[in-house]
Amino acid sequence: MKGSDTATCKSERRTFWGSAVMLFVAMRLADGINAVTGLWVVPRNLPEETLGAVLPLMQVGAVLALPTSVLATVFTRQFCVYVTTGKGDLACALLRDVILISAFVFVLVWGFLVWVMPVLCVYLRIPLSSAGYWAAGCALLAAFVPMLSAALQAAKRFAALALGVLLAAPIRLVTLGVLLPIVGLSGYFIGQVGALAVTAGVACLGLWSFWRGSAWVSWGAWRADCSGMRRYTLGVALGVLTAAVQGTVLAFVIRNRLPENVSAGYYMISRFADMATYCGTTLATVLFPYAVEARLQGRSSAALRNSVLLAIVLMGGLLAVVLQVSLPLLFAYFPAYTIYQSFTSQVAFLTVITTLQVAAATYFSHAMARDDFSWLCYAVPVAGGLAVGLLLMSNPTLSRVLWFSFAAASIQCLCVGVEIIWRSRVTGLLK
């Protein structure tokens, strides 16, 4: 029996890393195209005072999309449960019903946005235009598309997932190249919406055979599992809200309380530092359904999770070194970037912060896949402390803001490490 479990574990790891490598290659090819988009097309067509508003507007959209984000996470896990336990008909019914619920939420959020957008534009120091509405549409689609991606994850159709990523990148590049010179900031978000629509279309095609092979199930047939889903939703909602508050306060403080050239400089270096999310995003995407499956089958996925966390930290550390050496040379070479040259000294630090945040988020995602929310005991106070500290900070500078973020990310990762060690010791004692 033990030999059989070992063989199963080895086979699972081979499949996991094979899928992860395929998805990683596809996403990095797309990132190459996105790099051209974000680092040449966008700065070339947006003035400095507008460029710094991109991240806060995206964060506004993300906050408005919180209900859909919570719904997406709950759906992801329940869909994985149905697929793993052979309840494909219920999985299809759940996907159908969630799409309809998401459409209803989309309309409600859009109506709310029409009401608050004039105030937000004043706070973010940008003229009132259609950009905010497109930003909200982008965020709502960005919260909805993961539901389709999650269905592909649960069905382990990573090839369709990779194809969607590859096709979206050139669509985004062409759309932004055409629209940015014409409609400015609105064109940026129209391009994002177009790319997300392509991803959704490919996902639907990838799921078509899955849908076609399932019998029709009545509306709400999955309601028998609602009691467990409600409890799970509360934990997810608190986790998503915690991350949203932290990200929103950070984006608004940088945009509203720092000079416009500083918020624009932060945007430029953050595009490079965000490369630290590439490894974590790919691995977390593949890890989630495997973690759900392992829990349902009574197996541990701790070894797989730990290898993923190690890969994230190593890749992030290597990237920080590479960026610290290469970015000053890159910014000096391109005339359009020279005004942001002074900010390159912060890129390695920002990359380290991003790496720590991604590592913690991946651990939290794995825990949620296993219906474990013990991490909220420390994640909520840390995120709340960061938000309050940033809001109460007198005479903020970019350096001080980054140090606050680093402290919060370090504390979270320290708590994660303590929890991993404690759980491994408890498991060893039980054995």
Side-chain angles (χ1 to χ4, degrees):
M1 187 71 175
K2 186 175 181 180
S4 176
D5 290 342
T6 303
T8 301
C9 185
K10 287 182 178 179
S11 175
E12 181 184 69
R13 287 191 182 185
R14 281 196 300 269
T15 305
F16 171 84
W17 286 108
S19 301
V21 168
M22 177 188 66
L23 193 58
F24 182 84
V25 170
M27 294 179 78
R28 298 302 70 82
L29 289 173
D31 288 332
I33 300 174
N34 290 335
V36 175
T37 303
L39 299 173
W40 181 67
V41 176
V42 175
R44 186 169 176 265
N45 291 283
L46 288 182
E48 183 180 275
E49 60 273 14
T50 304
L51 188 62
V54 170
L55 294 180
L57 268 178
M58 291 179 69
Q59 191 62 39
V60 168
V63 170
L64 293 174
L66 280 178
T68 315
S69 299
V70 172
L71 188 63
T73 305
V74 176
F75 162 79
T76 300
R77 186 179 185 280
Q78 194 61 36
F79 192 93
C80 288
V81 169
Y82 285 149
V83 172
T84 302
T85 54
K87 299 177 180 177
D89 296 344
L90 281 177
C92 288
L94 178 64
L95 178 58
R96 177 198 62 208
D97 295 353
V98 164
I99 288 175
L100 293 176
I101 295 171
S102 299
F104 177 70
V105 173
F106 187 102
V107 173
L108 290 180
V109 172
W110 194 272
F112 175 75
L113 181 65
V114 172
W115 181 50
V116 302
M117 184 51 66
V119 177
L120 286 173
C121 287
V122 172
Y123 187 80
L124 295 176
R125 298 180 293 186
I126 57 174
L128 180 63
S129 69
S130 62
Y133 306 108
W134 282 108
C138 173
L140 289 167
L141 270 178
F144 170 72
V145 168
M147 296 185 193
L148 298 176
S149 300
L152 292 174
Q153 281 178 261
K156 296 181 181 176
R157 300 187 179 190
F158 295 109
L161 204 57
L163 180 61
V165 171
L166 279 175
L167 290 179
I171 294 294
R172 182 184 292 108
L173 174 61
V174 172
T175 307
L176 291 182
V178 172
L179 293 181
L180 276 177
I182 301 173
V183 293
L185 190 58
S186 295
Y188 176 88
F189 292 106
I190 294 173
Q192 307 299 330
V193 169
L196 288 167
V198 170
T199 304
V202 172
C204 288
L205 290 176
L207 290 168
W208 176 247
S209 61
F210 185 80
W211 258 318
R212 188 176 55 186
S214 300
W216 173 263
V217 178
S218 61
W219 302 100
W222 41 270
R223 281 183 294 181
D225 300 306
C226 272
S227 58
M229 291 172 67
R230 276 195 295 267
R231 179 187 56 78
Y232 187 75
T233 300
L234 290 175
V236 171
L238 186 55
V240 170
L241 181 62
T242 298
V245 168
Q246 179 176 319
T248 302
V249 170
L250 177 63
F252 273 50
V253 166
I254 290 175
R255 176 60 182 174
N256 187 258
R257 299 187 63 192
L258 300 180
E260 289 180 347
N261 69 308
V262 175
S263 64
Y266 174 79
Y267 169 85
M268 291 301 296
I269 63 171
S270 68
R271 297 310 84 205
F272 290 92
D274 278 355
M275 292 178 184
T277 66
Y278 293 171
C279 180
T281 301
T282 305
L283 295 177
T285 298
V286 182
L287 178 63
F288 195 94
Y290 281 91
V292 174
E293 182 179 347
R295 183 182 185 276
L296 291 174
Q297 295 175 354
R299 296 184 288 108
S300 172
S301 52
L304 200 57
R305 176 205 63 203
N306 293 343
S307 62
V308 165
L309 294 178
L310 180 61
I312 291 171
V313 172
L314 291 178
M315 291 290 288
L318 178 61
L319 179 65
V321 174
V322 171
L323 289 178
Q324 189 63 37
V325 174
S326 63
L327 206 61
L329 301 176
L330 179 66
F331 275 39
Y333 182 78
F334 291 100
Y337 294 171
T338 53
I339 58 175
Y340 306 115
Q341 181 77 29
S342 60
F343 296 98
T344 58
S345 60
Q346 303 274 21
V347 71
F349 190 31
L350 183 55
T351 303
V352 170
I353 295 171
T354 305
T355 299
L356 294 176
Q357 291 171 338
V358 170
T362 302
Y363 179 84
F364 300 155
S365 174
H366 173 269
M368 285 193 292
R370 298 186 65 88
D371 200 8
D372 177 10
F373 292 94
S374 58
W375 54 273
L376 288 172
C377 296
Y378 53 85
V380 172
V382 170
L386 172 63
V388 172
L390 289 175
L391 290 173
L392 297 180
M393 185 185 296
S394 59
N395 301 318
T397 63
L398 182 59
S399 179
R400 293 182 66 191
V401 168
L402 293 182
W403 272 106
F404 262 76
S405 299
F406 174 74
S410 299
I411 293 171
Q412 280 194 340
C413 285
L414 180 62
C415 292
V416 165
V418 170
E419 185 174 3
I420 289 175
I421 294 171
W422 177 76
R423 286 181 181 274
S424 65
R425 290 189 175 181
V426 168
T427 303
L429 289 173
L430 290 176
K431 288 182 178 179

